[in-house]
Amino acid sequence: MFTRKHTRIWLVALFTFLVFVFSMIMVMVTSVRQNVAVQNYGELTQIYNGPIIQDAPSLGSLSTDNVLNKELRFSSSALTRFFENTNISATTGKVTIIADFVKKGLVYQPTYKTEFTADFTLKNSLEEESLISFFFPFPSGTYSSEISDAKLIVDQQVYDLSKSVDANGNPGLKWDGKIPAKGEKVVSVSYDTVGLSRFQYEGFENPKGAQDFRFDLEIKGTRGYNVLDGLSVDNRTFEDNGVILSWNKESLYSAPRISVEVGGKINPADQVSKVYLIMTPIYLFFALVLIFLTTKFAKGLRSLDLLFITVLFVVFFPLFHYLSSFTIDPTSDIFSSMNVANYSMPLYLAFTLAFGVIGGLMMYLLSRTQGIKFTLTLGLPVIAIGLGFFPLIATIPEYFILLSLIGIIAILVISMQVRFSNK
């Protein structure tokens, strides 16, 4: 014969199964949205050029019919000798990456603006003046992408006609000039562009020896970054909303290479979607604890009340999820006549609103069925832990284990308090 207790146990089992089915459906919905985000990223590469991959400049010998050589009339063997004895002895560069996250769909894409400047020291090891051809390529894949304010400067002179292409058709800046005997010449280049997610510099190895490599990469708008490979970072300077990474390699024999991923803006909706994976165990714990406490210290939770609690619990997760995705697009018709700026709801504001609405309704239900004293002394802590704490820490994967242990300790404290109260 089924008692009221057995009925509630079966109901909890049924509701747990239904919560599990719902969570799996939402996981699939989240997966579809993630695929859309990946597609949107691909579309943005048509505008923002994708990751910026900047190759080092190359040196070449002048042709005998070059305009500069027509005056001097060097033979092809002499021009080859100049090329073989002139190398890049030092590179000093700076890249400023300004995070400019663009929201496409419901996801912030890691777009950024880039200001690139670099000084390349060309050294002639011969006892005579040499002629050399210097070519600096624009980032890979920039045939139809944005490159602006590109300059090539030698001896404080800006070469306006330096735009060129190499033998493979890659666009860039070119300079043909003289290097003094046993001397050096500094060629400076700069340009502005845009990119997505990553900056990479592929350096040029000095075949005749070493080179000094100094490079600063400043990220503005976010302190998040990840050095993917290449040279080790010598210094990190963190600012209020940015970071400066510095490489200072004296007499570097290997090819200088750096690759840094710019930290993307936290996507609240993607974070919150992780709570669906722990939704079922949280509900089972929440329902069983609530049934036990109401049975021991109050009037007991009726089946209809348990249904209300379950529905509110299930509604909380997508409400939290979609509130974190809420955004105001000032280009929409409804806002076209208003002076409304682009707005996206922060993660914790979305959580506060969802918890305030759903948690408030749960407390109202408990106060009407179990009494104010029970609701404030036991109901509120259970709601705060089950509906608030564990769903929230699921959005912080880096500290999930630590925060889970803290939550378990809190549960033990409450359990001991219940044990002492039961005496």
Side-chain angles (χ1 to χ4, degrees):
M1 183 175 181
F2 286 104
T3 64
R4 181 179 174 183
K5 179 180 180 181
H6 290 139
T7 301
R8 285 183 300 186
I9 291 176
W10 279 107
L11 280 176
V12 169
L14 174 62
F15 291 159
T16 300
F17 174 74
L18 294 177
V19 168
F20 172 76
V21 173
F22 175 80
S23 66
M24 291 299 99
I25 293 174
M26 293 308 296
V27 167
M28 288 188 290
V29 170
T30 301
S31 177
V32 171
R33 291 178 62 181
Q34 184 61 33
N35 291 336
V36 172
V38 173
Q39 179 181 346
N40 289 338
Y41 178 92
E43 292 176 356
L44 276 179
T45 59
Q46 305 302 315
I47 303 173
Y48 286 88
N49 188 45
I52 293 180
I53 302 176
Q54 177 62 67
D55 291 328
S58 59
L59 301 181
S61 61
L62 271 64
S63 60
T64 53
D65 59 350
N66 183 275
V67 175
L68 181 61
N69 188 47
K70 283 183 177 180
E71 303 174 3
L72 303 174
R73 298 181 181 178
F74 284 109
S75 64
S76 59
S77 60
L79 294 174
T80 300
R81 186 174 71 255
F82 295 155
F83 161 66
E84 292 175 347
N85 290 277
T86 303
N87 295 286
I88 298 177
S89 62
T91 299
T92 302
K94 181 178 181 180
V95 173
T96 300
I97 292 177
I98 305 170
D100 181 33
F101 301 106
V102 171
K103 191 168 189 179
K104 188 172 178 62
L106 296 176
V107 177
Y108 283 101
Q109 301 292 351
T111 57
Y112 57 83
K113 299 176 182 178
T114 302
E115 299 171 358
F116 180 94
T117 60
D119 297 333
F120 300 97
T121 302
L122 311 184
K123 185 176 181 179
N124 175 18
S125 59
L126 296 174
E127 298 288 348
E128 59 181 317
E129 184 180 65
S130 68
L131 298 180
I132 199 71
S133 179
F134 172 94
F135 181 79
F136 176 82
F138 289 137
S140 303
T142 56
Y143 302 101
S144 59
S145 298
E146 179 180 328
I147 293 289
S148 59
D149 200 23
K151 296 178 183 177
L152 187 147
I153 302 174
V154 181
D155 294 333
Q156 299 182 345
Q157 178 184 352
V158 178
Y159 285 77
D160 297 327
L161 301 178
S162 59
K163 185 177 181 180
S164 182
V165 294
D166 63 8
N168 297 319
N170 300 313
L173 301 176
K174 184 178 181 181
W175 173 77
D176 296 334
K178 305 174 183 178
I179 311 294
K182 289 293 184 179
E184 297 177 340
K185 186 77 71 173
V186 176
V187 181
S188 301
V189 295
S190 64
Y191 65 85
D192 296 339
T193 188
V194 292
L196 267 171
S197 71
R198 178 167 57 95
F199 176 86
Q200 182 173 311
Y201 180 81
E202 294 284 352
F204 177 81
E205 182 178 352
N206 185 348
K208 295 295 183 178
Q211 68 169 304
D212 297 331
F213 182 77
R214 302 177 185 87
F215 206 95
D216 290 339
L217 190 150
E218 181 178 6
I219 302 174
K220 296 181 179 180
T222 177
R223 298 178 69 179
Y225 72 92
N226 182 26
V227 178
L228 299 177
D229 56 30
L231 301 175
S232 59
V233 180
D234 292 307
N235 187 53
R236 299 170 178 85
T237 304
F238 290 96
E239 300 177 336
D240 290 339
N241 193 27
V243 61
I244 300 176
L245 307 178
S246 298
W247 290 262
N248 187 5
K249 309 295 182 181
E250 300 289 340
S251 300
L252 181 68
Y253 273 81
S254 59
R257 169 187 167 88
I258 61 175
S259 182
V260 177
E261 184 179 47
V262 180
K265 189 172 184 178
I266 293 175
N267 177 22
D270 182 57
Q271 282 185 292
V272 175
S273 65
K274 296 179 175 63
V275 302
Y276 294 125
L277 299 175
I278 63 171
M279 186 177 176
T280 303
I282 290 178
Y283 170 76
L284 184 60
F285 158 79
F286 180 72
L288 292 177
V289 170
L290 207 55
I291 290 174
F292 171 77
L293 292 177
T294 54
T295 302
K296 284 291 185 181
F297 302 102
K299 302 176 184 179
L301 204 61
R302 296 178 178 271
S303 299
L304 183 60
D305 299 333
L306 179 61
L307 176 62
F308 285 144
I309 292 290
T310 301
V311 172
L312 287 171
F313 181 90
V314 170
V315 169
F316 169 77
F317 288 85
L319 178 61
F320 180 20
H321 186 188
Y322 285 96
L323 277 177
S324 67
S325 304
F326 174 75
T327 184
I328 293 178
D329 183 358
T331 64
S332 301
D333 290 339
I334 190 174
F335 300 115
S336 59
S337 60
M338 308 178 190
N339 187 20
V340 178
N342 197 341
Y343 170 79
S344 297
M345 184 173 292
L347 172 65
Y348 298 112
L349 177 58
F351 169 79
T352 302
L353 290 176
F355 183 79
V357 172
I358 303 300
L361 289 174
M362 284 186 177
M363 290 185 62
Y364 172 75
L365 177 64
L366 290 177
S367 65
R368 294 298 299 269
T369 59
Q370 312 299 323
I372 294 292
K373 181 179 179 181
F374 172 86
T375 302
L376 295 178
T377 56
L378 294 175
L380 179 58
V382 172
I383 293 173
I385 292 176
L387 199 66
F389 183 78
F390 282 104
L392 186 61
I393 67 174
T395 67
I396 314 174
E398 297 84 356
Y399 302 102
F400 178 73
I401 300 298
L402 174 61
L403 294 176
S404 296
L405 293 174
I406 294 175
I408 292 173
I409 293 173
I411 293 172
L412 291 175
V413 171
I414 295 175
S415 301
M416 288 188 289
Q417 186 64 34
V418 171
R419 170 72 177 84
F420 297 148
S421 300
N422 198 30
K423 275 193 167 186

